[in-house]
């Protein structure tokens, strides 16, 4: 029997858990029987709605605020998980921002802000996960299919996610002997506010039609990929980037 099967009450941290994909991931992990810490950095109201929805469905969840790039705040998040639930088994880094501009026109303050969240934030949380995940645990970071699609205006964003992929693949090798998997999910166009903001309906329909499945992904599509990697079926998947995009790239 594997460690993951022996544990009766697994505990998950979802950064960015109040967002479109993050909330779907939190719901899916709770539906799998995990206690979920729903992290948020902006809207407490949205996070509490996610928690209330999970609890109404019979699950266990709490909302915890914090800056993902602040090691003190994230240490407190892991401390809370251990104090309230006994430990941490799954960490999912959905927290991220996307700021778009041609490389020649990208504002450097915007560049720095995005990399602070997407790169430093992922690094801080991954470092804590590497130190504190229990045997049988899983870390799932978030990249993007844009690293393959290479579309104009996405250069700075793709660069931040390329860094996420690099640290994810290397960390998987560094955790040899720990019985902890480390992978990344790379969504394609997904129907969330982060994706649709600033886009016309015509453009959204055009992007949806480009997929062989002729639709946008849903947050639930992405959440199912995460629960696979976090669950018993994904234990032999390690050090990989799972492109979850309906065949677009």
């Amino acid at each position: 029997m594997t460690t993951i099967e022996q544990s009766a009450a697994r505990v998950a941290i979802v950064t960015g858990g109040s967002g479109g994909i993050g909330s779907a991931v939190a719901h899916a992990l709770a539906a799998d029987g995990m206690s979920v810490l729903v992290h948020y950095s902006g809207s407490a109201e949205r996070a509490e709605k996610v928690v209330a929805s999970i609890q109404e469905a019979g699950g266990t969840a709490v909302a915890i605020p914090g800056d993902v790039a602040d090691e003190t705040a994230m240490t407190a998040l892991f401390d809370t998980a251990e104090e309230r639930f006994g430990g941490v088994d799954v960490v999912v880094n959905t927290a991220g921002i996307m700021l778009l501009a041609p490389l020649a026109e990208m504002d450097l303050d915007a560049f720095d802000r995005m990399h602070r969240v997407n790169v430093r934030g992922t690094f801080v949380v991954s470092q804590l996960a590497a130190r504190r995940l229990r045997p049988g645990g899983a870390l799932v970071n978030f990249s993007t299919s844009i690293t393959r699609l290479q579309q104009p205006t996405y250069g700075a964003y793709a660069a931040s996610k390329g860094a996420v992929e690099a640290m994810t693949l290397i960390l998987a090798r560094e955790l040899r002997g720990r019985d902890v998997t480390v992978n990344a999910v790379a969504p394609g166009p997904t129907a969330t506010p982060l994706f649709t903001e600033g886009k016309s309906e015509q453009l959204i329909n055009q992007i949806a039609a480009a997929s062989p499945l002729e639709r946008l992904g849903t947050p639930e599509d992405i959440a199912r990929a995460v629960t696979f990697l976090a669950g018993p079926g994904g234990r032999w998947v390690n050090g990989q980037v799972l492109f979850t995009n309906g065949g677009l790239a």
Side-chain angles (χ1 to χ4, degrees):
M1 180 178 291
T2 65
T3 306
I4 198 169
E5 292 168 334
Q6 291 170 343
S7 177
R10 303 184 79 214
V11 180
I13 292 173
V14 181
T15 70
S18 64
I21 290 176
S23 62
V25 169
H27 278 94
L29 294 175
D32 280 351
M34 299 189 201
S35 299
V36 181
L37 284 85
V38 178
H39 158 270
Y40 67 95
S41 61
S43 174
E45 183 180 359
R46 287 204 313 268
E48 291 295 349
K49 284 182 179 178
V50 174
V51 168
S53 178
I54 289 172
Q55 291 174 340
E56 287 168 7
T60 301
V62 294
I64 306 291
D67 176 358
V68 289
D70 184 322
E71 63 272 30
T72 301
M74 291 301 96
T75 298
L77 175 63
F78 277 75
D79 288 345
T80 298
E82 293 180 354
E83 290 163 5
R84 296 191 63 165
F85 301 110
V88 183
D89 303 285
V90 174
V91 174
V92 185
N93 266 316
T94 76
I97 60 174
M98 181 171 63
L99 305 173
L100 305 180
L103 190 145
E105 301 171 15
M106 170 63 73
D107 179 81
L108 289 180
D109 287 340
F111 178 89
D112 288 343
R113 182 158 60 95
M114 182 163 55
H115 277 247
R116 185 178 188 279
V117 175
N118 295 0
V119 181
R120 180 185 167 95
T122 299
F123 188 93
V124 166
V125 175
S126 294
Q127 185 177 70
L128 287 163
R131 294 170 177 170
R132 299 173 73 166
L133 277 168
R134 294 189 285 202
L139 168 62
V140 183
N141 288 325
F142 263 68
S143 181
T144 173
S145 290
I146 287 294
T147 57
R148 285 186 176 180
L149 294 171
Q150 297 138 11
Q151 299 212 0
T153 75
Y154 283 85
Y157 177 68
S160 75
K161 293 303 188 175
V164 168
E165 290 188 13
M167 72 176 79
T168 298
L169 301 185
I170 291 170
L171 181 57
R173 277 78 187 169
E174 291 179 345
L175 294 186
R176 172 184 291 273
R178 284 279 307 281
D179 190 24
V180 169
T181 62
V182 185
N183 294 288
V185 170
T190 306
T192 67
L194 182 68
F195 171 76
T196 58
E197 183 178 1
K199 295 182 176 69
S200 67
E201 184 176 351
Q202 180 181 4
L203 178 58
I204 292 171
N205 291 338
Q206 180 182 338
I207 294 170
S211 166
L213 297 180
E214 298 186 330
R215 67 173 178 86
L216 297 177
T218 67
E220 290 72 27
D221 290 325
I222 311 307
R224 280 188 281 271
V226 172
T227 57
F228 164 70
L229 293 172
R235 292 310 296 168
W236 195 234
V237 182
N238 191 28
Q240 305 298 319
V241 179
L242 178 57
F243 285 83
T244 312
N245 56 39
L248 185 62

